[in-house]
Amino acid sequence: MKKLLLSLLSIFFISNILIAQTNISIDISDPVYEVLRASELKNLCGPLPSVKPYSKSYIIKTLEEILLNLEEVEDYDSMEIVQTCLDKYG
């Protein structure tokens, strides 16, 4: 019984740690927010939420969307900036 309880508690704590890591937020002073805002103004991504900070997973997903749209318009300088941000968080 103790082994079962210990196993369940271990699984619970490990799963909480994994869930918490996917919801890590990026500090609002990070320059990536400027990249996201500029991209939103250029319609390279959908509307950004007004509530910050954004989660790391949201930022990565949005940067990937921006990168795809930059490829379509062949803006290689901006693609390099966005790729640098992706490398930092991905």
Side-chain angles (χ1 to χ4, degrees), residues 8-77:
L8 290 174
L9 284 174
S10 296
I11 291 171
F12 174 75
F13 286 116
I14 291 171
S15 64
N16 280 342
I17 290 170
L18 294 175
I19 290 169
Q21 288 180 351
T22 61
N23 291 323
I24 295 172
S25 59
I26 304 301
D27 189 89
I28 58 173
S29 64
D30 194 292
V32 74
Y33 287 97
E34 294 175 34
V35 172
L36 294 174
R37 179 73 179 135
S39 298
E40 179 188 34
L41 293 173
K42 294 178 182 179
N43 293 317
L44 295 170
C45 63
L48 298 171
S50 59
V51 178
K52 295 176 186 168
Y54 303 148
S55 69
K56 181 180 176 182
S57 60
Y58 176 79
I59 288 178
I60 291 170
K61 182 184 80 150
T62 306
L63 288 171
E64 288 171 345
E65 176 187 359
I66 293 166
L67 193 59
L68 286 174
N69 289 324
L70 287 170
E71 287 174 356
E72 289 179 15
V73 296
E74 298 180 357
D75 184 346
Y76 300 109
D77 292 334

